[in-house]
C-alpha cells in the first residue's frame, strides 16, 4: 500500500563517494533546485562501509581519491576502509548534507513517464512502499552487485571440509588465528587482504592463475609534510589534489601509450623489492599491459598455477603440487551491474543498458533525464565521478536555458556504429559482463572515458547539444 507521494527536482541514488560528491556539486552549481539522496542502507559509505574483510583499503592516494572540497587530514595517504568512512562522515557533516540523506530508502522500481515528464520511483522504506517522483535522477550506485559475486566455477570446491569465505560477505566472527589459508585471486582484493591475514593466520598462500603487476608505493609524501608546516590545511589539500591527480593521469596515459617501457620498469622495480630467489617472470609478468587491469599495490607472497581440483583439505594444482588449507578465500571478482540491479522503464518499456550507447560516459541513449555517475576503474575513482557530475550539471543548465523538461541522448545510424565497452579494462569480471556494459564508439560524444584531462576539456568546452534531444512538456502532449 502506497503511504505517500513526494516530489523533488533532483534525486541522487546512493550515499557513497559518488553520491555525496554529486550532492555537493548539485548544491554548489544548482542552488535553486531541490534534491534528496536515497540510500538503501542505514549508513553512508557505499563500498567502503559494505566490505568488511581484513585489510580493506584504498590503493589510491586519498588526496585524489577523496573529495576535492574536503581535506584529508592525515599524513598517510592510503587509507583503510574505516578511515575512509570516517572521512566521509566528517565531510557530510561539514558540508551540511546529512539532512538531505534518506536512509533505508531502497529503490525497487523506476519508470520515466512521458506525459508527466517525470521519473516515478517505487521505494521500500523499512517495509513500507513509498512513491517519490523527480524531474531528474542521478544514479550513483556504482557498478557491482551487493547481492551476488562474479560466478566462478572452482572444481571440487563443494568437497572441501574447511570453511569457504568470499570477501564480499566476510563473517565478522571468523577466527583465522593460526589457520592455513589460501586466497584464490590476483586482483586488488587479494593483494590487500593477504598481508592482513598473514598477521594472524598460521600460513597464507595467494594462488593466482596468471601473473600480476604489483608495485610498492610510499604511503606518505615529504612534499605534503613540508606544505603542512607552511600552509593552511585547505591549501595543502588543494595543491596535493592537483599534484597527485595530474601525476596519476600522466603515469596512466604514459603506461597505456608505452606499455613495453612500463613493463620494463615495473618488472625492474619488482625485482628490487622481492627476495632474490623469487621468480619475477613467473609471478609478476602478466600477459596484459600496465593499467589494462588495475595495478595492484603491495608486497605479496604467492603461487602461480592452475587449480586441478579442490580436495577435502586443500587444493591440488595442475603442476601436481598440493596446497593444504583450513580456510579458502575466493577473491575471484565482482558481479557487474548498473542501476543497483534495476531495469529502468520508459513508458513501461525496459531499457537494457548493455544494448545502448553512453553519451560522454554519463547518460544512456534512449533514457531521458537520468545520469549514471561512475568514476574511473583503473585510476582514482573520485575525479572521474566528479567530472561526470559536473558534465551532467551542464546538461541540466542547458535544459533550464531552453525551458526543456526532458533531455535524452540520441544516436543516429546506430546499427553501423562500432561497439566497444564503456569500461576500458580487461579484468575477467568486466570482460564476462560485456552484454551488461553500455557501449561506446571511441569517438565524438560517444567516446570511452579513460583520461581525466580529456574529460575535463569536454566538460568545460564540449557541446551539450550534440547527440542530445531536448524537449518540452507541451511538445510531448502534441505528438
Amino acid at each position: 500500500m502506497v503511504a505517500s507521494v513526494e516530489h523533488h527536482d533532483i534525486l541522487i541514488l546512493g550515499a557513497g563517494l559518488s553520491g555525496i560528491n554529486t550532492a555537493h556539486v548539485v548544491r554548489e552549481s544548482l542552488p535553486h533546485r531541490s534534491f534528496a539522496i536515497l540510500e538503501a542502507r542505514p549508513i553512508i559509505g557505499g563500498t567502503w562501509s559494505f566490505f568488511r574483510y581484513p585489510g580493506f583499503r584504498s590503493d589510491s592516494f586519498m588526496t585524489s581519491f577523496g573529495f576535492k572540497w574536503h581535506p584529508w587530514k592525515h599524513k598517510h595517504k592510503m587509507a583503510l576502509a574505516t578511515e575512509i568512512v570516517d572521512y566521509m562522515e566528517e565531510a557530510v557533516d561539514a558540508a551540511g548534507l546529512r539532512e538531505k540523506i534518506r536512509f533505508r530508502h531502497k529503490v525497487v522500481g523506476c519508470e520515466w513517464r512521458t506525459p508527466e515528464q517525470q521519473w516515478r520511483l517505487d521505494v521500500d522504506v523499512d517495509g513500507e512502499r513509498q512513491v517519490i517522483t523527480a524531474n531528474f535522477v542521478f544514479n550513483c550506485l556504482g557498478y557491482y552487485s551487493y547481492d551476488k559475486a562474479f560466478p566462478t566455477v572452482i572444481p571440487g570446491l563443494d568437497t572441501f571440509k574447511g570453511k569457504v569465505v568470499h570477501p564480499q560477505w566476510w563473517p565478522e566472527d571468523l577466527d583465522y588465528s593460526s589457520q592455513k589459508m589460501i586466497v584464490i585471486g590476483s586482483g586488488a582484493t587479494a593483494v590487500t587482504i593477504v598481508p592482513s591475514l598473514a598477521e594472524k593466520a598460521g600460513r597464507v598462500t595467494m594462488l593466482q592463475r596468471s601473473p600480476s603487476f604489483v608495485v610498492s608505493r610510499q604511503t606518505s609524501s615529504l612534499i605534503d609534510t613540508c606544505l603542512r608546516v607552511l600552509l593552511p590545511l585547505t591549501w595543502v589539500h588543494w595543491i596535493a589534489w592537483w599534484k597527485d591527480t595530474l601525476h596519476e593521469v600522466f603515469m596512466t596515459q604514459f603506461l597505456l601509450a608505452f606499455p613495453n617501457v612500463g613493463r620494463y620498469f615495473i618488472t625492474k622495480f619488482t625485482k628490487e623489492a622481492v627476495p632474490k630467489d623469487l621468480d619475477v617472470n613467473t609471478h609478476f609478468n602478466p600477459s596484459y599491459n600496465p593499467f589494462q587491469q588495475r595495478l595492484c599495490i603491495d608486497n605479496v607472497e604467492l603461487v602461480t598455477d592452475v587449480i586441478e581440483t579442490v580436495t577435502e583439505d586443500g587444493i591440488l594444482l595442475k603442476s601436481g603440487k598440493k596446497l593444504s588449507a583450513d580456510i579458502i578465500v575466493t577473491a575471484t571478482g565482482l558481479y557487474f551491474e548498473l542501476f543497483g540491479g534495476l531495469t529502468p522503464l520508459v513508458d513501461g518499456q525496459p531499457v537494457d543498458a548493455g544494448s545502448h550507447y553512453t553519451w560522454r560516459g554519463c547518460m544512456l541513449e534512449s533514457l531521458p533525464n537520468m545520469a549514471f555517475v561512475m568514476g574511473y576503474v583503473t585510476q582514482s575513482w573520485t575525479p572521474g565521478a566528479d567530472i561526470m557530475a559536473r558534465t551532467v550539471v551542464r546538461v541540466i543548465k542547458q535544459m533550464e536555458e531552453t525551458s526543456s523538461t526532458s533531455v535524452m541522448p540520441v544516436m543516429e545510424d546506430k546499427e553501423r556504429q562500432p561497439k566497444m565497452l564503456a569500461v576500458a579494462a580487461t579484468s575477467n569480471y568486466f570482460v564476462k559482463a560485456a552484454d551488461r556494459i553500455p557501449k561506446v564508439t571511441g569517438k565524438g560524444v560517444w567516446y570511452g572515458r579513460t583520461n581525466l584531462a580529456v574529460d575535463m576539456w569536454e566538460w568545460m568546452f564540449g557541446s551539450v547539444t550534440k547527440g542530445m534531444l531536448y524537449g518540452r512538456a507541451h511538445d510531448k502532449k502534441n505528438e
Side-chain angles (χ1 to χ4, degrees):
M1 182 176 181
V2 176
S4 62
V5 178
E6 65 176 274
H7 177 78
H8 295 275
D9 282 340
I10 296 170
L11 281 178
I12 299 168
L13 309 185
L17 279 167
S18 301
I20 291 170
N21 186 73
T22 296
H24 184 271
V25 170
V26 167
R27 192 173 64 178
E28 176 186 65
S29 305
L30 302 168
H32 55 290
R33 306 293 292 265
S34 67
F35 72 92
I37 307 170
L38 304 186
E39 169 54 51
R41 301 164 65 220
I43 55 176
I44 68 170
T47 295
W48 303 101
S49 58
F50 176 70
F51 281 90
R52 298 299 180 93
Y53 65 81
F56 183 38
R57 59 161 174 76
S58 166
D59 55 6
S60 296
F61 286 154
M62 284 301 296
T63 41
S64 58
F65 189 73
F67 303 124
K68 187 178 179 181
W69 44 272
H70 188 74
W72 173 251
K73 296 180 179 179
H74 303 286
K75 291 184 179 180
H76 62 278
K77 301 174 71 167
M78 286 188 177
L80 293 172
T82 51
E83 294 176 310
I84 296 173
V85 173
D86 288 344
Y87 166 79
M88 295 170 67
E89 294 275 8
E90 181 183 90
V92 164
D93 289 333
L97 292 172
R98 191 171 296 276
E99 64 182 17
K100 296 291 186 179
I101 304 174
R102 307 289 184 85
F103 292 107
R104 303 182 191 276
H105 279 56
K106 181 179 177 61
V107 179
V108 295
C110 59
E111 180 182 11
W112 170 259
R113 297 189 173 184
T114 299
E116 291 87 4
Q117 293 284 279
Q118 288 179 350
W119 278 98
R120 175 189 171 96
L121 279 68
D122 293 318
V123 183
D124 184 292
V125 186
D126 285 331
E128 297 291 331
R129 188 60 57 90
Q130 184 176 350
V131 173
I132 303 179
T133 60
N135 298 326
F136 202 99
V137 175
F138 283 85
N139 191 301
C140 302
L141 297 174
Y143 64 86
Y144 71 89
S145 172
Y146 279 11
D147 302 319
K148 53 186 173 182
F150 177 69
T152 302
V153 177
I154 301 175
L157 188 62
D158 57 341
T159 66
F160 182 60
K161 297 299 184 181
K163 295 180 180 179
V164 178
V165 179
H166 195 285
Q168 194 160 336
W169 302 284
W170 191 269
E172 292 186 8
D173 60 349
L174 179 65
D175 183 9
Y176 54 90
S177 301
S178 303
Q179 299 289 292
K180 291 175 290 184
M181 305 183 73
I182 298 176
V183 178
I184 302 175
S186 59
T189 300
V191 170
T192 54
I193 198 174
V194 166
S196 292
L197 294 178
E199 294 178 2
K200 291 175 58 179
R203 186 177 73 230
V204 180
T205 302
M206 176 175 160
L207 175 60
Q208 60 178 12
R209 181 176 53 188
S210 57
S212 302
F213 285 121
V214 179
V215 174
S216 180
R217 294 175 76 182
Q218 295 292 327
T219 61
S220 60
S221 166
L222 179 60
I223 295 175
D224 292 5
T225 300
C226 293
L227 289 174
R228 285 171 177 268
V229 176
L230 301 172
L231 300 172
L233 182 60
T234 52
W235 292 17
V236 174
H237 182 72
W238 185 87
I239 294 171
W241 189 93
W242 279 105
K243 172 175 64 69
D244 292 340
T245 300
L246 292 176
H247 177 264
E248 184 178 78
V249 169
F250 172 78
M251 290 302 299
T252 302
Q253 297 309 305
F254 178 84
L255 291 172
L256 289 172
F258 304 101
N260 291 332
V261 176
R263 181 184 294 271
Y264 169 79
F265 281 106
I266 291 173
T267 303
K268 179 177 182 294
F269 296 149
T270 303
K271 287 180 178 180
E272 295 173 354
V274 301
K276 301 298 182 184
D277 59 347
L278 185 63
D279 189 346
V280 171
N281 288 328
T282 297
H283 300 299
F284 301 104
N285 190 24
S287 59
Y288 60 87
N289 290 322
F291 283 105
Q292 281 189 315
Q293 295 186 18
R294 192 167 185 87
L295 194 61
C296 300
I297 300 165
D298 216 313
N299 297 307
V300 299
E301 294 182 338
L302 51 85
V303 172
T304 302
D305 209 328
V306 177
I307 296 174
E308 176 70 29
T309 186
V310 177
T311 63
E312 291 186 355
D313 59 351
I315 297 177
L316 178 65
L317 304 175
K318 289 284 188 181
S319 64
K321 183 177 181 179
K322 174 72 180 293
L323 303 175
S324 59
D326 302 305
I327 301 173
I328 292 177
V329 180
T330 55
T332 51
L334 306 170
Y335 185 84
F336 182 96
E337 68 176 18
L338 291 178
F339 309 122
L342 296 174
T343 299
L345 304 178
V346 176
D347 296 327
Q349 299 300 311
V351 175
D352 175 28
S355 61
H356 289 78
Y357 287 83
T358 173
W359 181 91
R360 297 201 188 284
C362 58
M363 293 185 71
L364 207 64
E365 45 116 1
S366 301
L367 198 60
N369 290 34
M370 178 179 281
F372 61 97
V373 176
M374 284 180 56
Y376 299 118
V377 297
T378 56
Q379 304 167 53
S380 286
W381 174 273
T382 316
D386 180 71
I387 209 67
M388 290 299 99
R390 294 182 185 279
T391 299
V392 177
V393 164
R394 277 196 64 203
V395 171
I396 295 175
K397 287 183 176 181
Q398 178 68 19
M399 293 177 68
E400 293 177 344
E401 291 176 8
T402 57
S403 300
S404 299
T405 55
S406 67
V407 60
M408 178 177 68
V410 177
M411 173 177 277
E412 297 179 357
D413 204 15
K414 179 178 176 179
E415 298 304 319
R416 296 187 180 184
Q417 300 295 333
K419 291 186 177 181
M420 302 161 54
L421 297 186
V423 179
T426 60
S427 297
N428 202 32
Y429 63 88
F430 285 126
V431 175
K432 296 293 185 181
D435 60 328
R436 301 190 298 276
I437 298 177
K439 306 304 184 289
V440 296
T441 66
K443 58 184 179 181
V445 296
W446 312 102
Y447 72 98
R449 297 190 302 123
T450 58
N451 189 325
L452 179 62
V454 173
D455 290 338
M456 189 169 289
W457 178 269
E458 294 296 335
W459 159 59
M460 292 188 294
F461 305 111
S463 171
V464 291
T465 58
K466 186 176 181 180
M468 298 287 265
L469 177 64
Y470 291 83
R472 299 185 181 94
H474 64 81
D475 296 335
K476 304 298 180 181
K477 292 177 180 179
N478 293 332
E479 288 181 355

